[in-house]
Amino acid sequence: MDVLSDAVAAMRLGRPHSAIRDKYGAWGVQFGTHGGAGFHVLLRGSAWLLPGGADAEPVALAPGDIVFLVHGRGHVLASDPGAPLERVELNPDGSWPAPPPRVPRAESGAAPSAVILCGAYQLDRARAHPLLAELPEVVHLPARVGTHHSLRTTVELLGAELEEPQPGSDTIVSALLDTMLLYLLRAWWLGERHGTGHPTGWAAALADAGVATALRAMHAEPARAWTVEELGALAGLSRAAFARRFAGSVGLPPLAYLTWWRMTVAGRALRAGDAPLRVVAQQAGYTSEFAFAKAFKREFGVAPGRYRRLDATA
């Protein structure tokens, strides 16, 4: 996979959830802090987002606006900043509860003042990829003509499946939500890359042809015994120039990032299957199971076998 896909796969847990919420009159919903990420799309009407709760600076939302909150911090969505609030509690699995069944307009007697498409993802914060960790508190994507075509198309498809579920909708909705997460991240990355000024951090890393080439190589072959010289050659740079440019955007020296990514791959393999530790060690670039176990414990704080057992009982 590519670096962005890998970053998401390293953190994703469980199944994503999504629903359409109809709101009438004056309304307000307070979402508490949780371990995942979420988005809201205002389909009709108007609303306000208060990113840090009722005392935060409000953000006005218009039809078609999308807000993405990747860090799982509490927030308020309301018809106006002073509206009464209904607190939404999480389910035991960390997902948001499903909204009440939608009432047909003919039965309700009135059109909703706002219609909102919401979605939530479960993420493993213990292995937060730095690409996601540096995102702002709120990614606000206003509904501008000619922007983010693929993301808008995904929203339309997701909304249609939720409005009128058909055979296979559960799988389609889950796939569309995974697709939407990547489009949301891509929209932010492109905004950073093509916005005013120079991109920084991971936006700069992915926009830098040399650094991006080295990252793709490490992600494609994490078990390879890479050297800084080899990675620099792929990037078309001298060893010293490559090391400076890589660390300046990624935030870690090349081999330190490689070690971090290897351990992330190993942790994912231990969570997802029952391959022998010897095989997991080889996939992470270690010829010695003992050396792998030592490095893994240094990174995770527990031995790989115990990590696998803890994850199985979580």
Side-chain angles (χ1 to χ4, degrees), residues 21 23 27-32 75-77 83-89 97 99-100:
R21 299 176 181 270
K23 295 298 178 183
W27 57 273
V29 181
Q30 182 174 12
F31 298 89
H75 61 282
V76 167
L77 205 61
L85 300 180
E86 165 200 1
R87 182 171 177 82
V88 177
E89 300 292 343

Side-chain angles (χ1 to χ4, degrees), residues 4 141 148-154 176 178-190:
L4 181 59
L141 303 172
H148 312 305
H149 298 292
S150 299
L151 176 58
R152 303 290 173 188
T153 299
T154 304
L176 286 171
D178 284 336
T179 301
M180 187 163 177
L181 178 57
L182 289 166
Y183 278 137
L184 286 166
L185 292 169
R186 184 188 287 178
W188 166 79
W189 168 54
L190 290 174

Side-chain angles (χ1 to χ4, degrees), residues 21 36 42 81 94-95 122 205 212 289:
R21 299 176 181 270
L42 187 63
S95 63
Q122 298 178 57
E289 189 176 326

Side-chain angles (χ1 to χ4, degrees), residues 18 20 39-43 64-66 116-118 141 148-163 176-177 179-180 183-184:
S18 188
I20 293 179
F39 68 84
H40 303 290
V41 184
L42 187 63
L43 300 179
D65 279 14
I66 302 173
I116 306 161
L117 171 62
C118 304
L141 303 172
H148 312 305
H149 298 292
S150 299
L151 176 58
R152 303 290 173 188
T153 299
T154 304
V155 168
E156 291 180 8
L157 291 171
L158 181 58
E161 288 295 329
L162 292 171
E163 287 271 13
L176 286 171
L177 285 169
T179 301
M180 187 163 177
Y183 278 137
L184 286 166

Side-chain angles (χ1 to χ4, degrees), residues 60-269:
L61 303 179
D65 279 14
I66 302 173
V67 289
F68 180 45
L69 303 100
V70 73
H71 299 297
R73 298 191 179 101
H75 61 282
V76 167
L77 205 61
S79 56
D80 64 78
L85 300 180
E86 165 200 1
R87 182 171 177 82
V88 177
E89 300 292 343
L90 292 174
N91 293 323
D93 66 354
S95 63
W96 295 113
R102 302 186 73 193
V103 179
R105 181 173 176 179
E107 298 178 17
S108 67
S113 56
V115 179
I116 306 161
L117 171 62
C118 304
Y121 304 92
Q122 298 178 57
L123 302 178
D124 180 6
R125 296 291 175 188
R127 299 300 297 178
H129 193 282
L131 189 156
L132 277 70
E134 72 176 25
L135 261 68
E137 183 78 15
V138 177
V139 175
H140 180 200
L141 303 172
R144 296 195 182 104
V145 175
T147 61
H148 312 305
H149 298 292
S150 299
L151 176 58
R152 303 290 173 188
T153 299
T154 304
V155 168
E156 291 180 8
L157 291 171
L158 181 58
E161 288 295 329
L162 292 171
E163 287 271 13
E164 297 185 23
Q166 302 289 333
S169 283
D170 285 350
T171 300
I172 291 172
V173 166
S174 182
L176 286 171
L177 285 169
D178 284 336
T179 301
M180 187 163 177
L181 178 57
L182 289 166
Y183 278 137
L184 286 166
L185 292 169
R186 184 188 287 178
W188 166 79
W189 168 54
L190 290 174
E192 288 291 300
R193 180 178 178 181
H194 299 304
T196 57
H198 297 288
T200 59
W202 274 83
L206 296 178
D208 185 313
V211 173
T213 297
L215 281 167
R216 285 195 298 271
M218 285 188 275
H219 278 244
E221 297 183 84
R224 180 169 169 173
W226 291 105
T227 66
V228 178
E229 288 85 356
E230 287 176 321
L231 293 168
L234 287 175
L237 297 167
S238 69
R239 180 188 186 283
F242 167 72
R244 284 196 302 270
R245 189 180 295 184
F246 188 98
S249 55
V250 173
L252 289 171
L255 298 189
Y257 177 80
L258 176 61
T259 298
W260 184 89
W261 180 243
R262 283 172 168 175
M263 292 298 103
T264 300
V265 170
R268 192 167 63 193

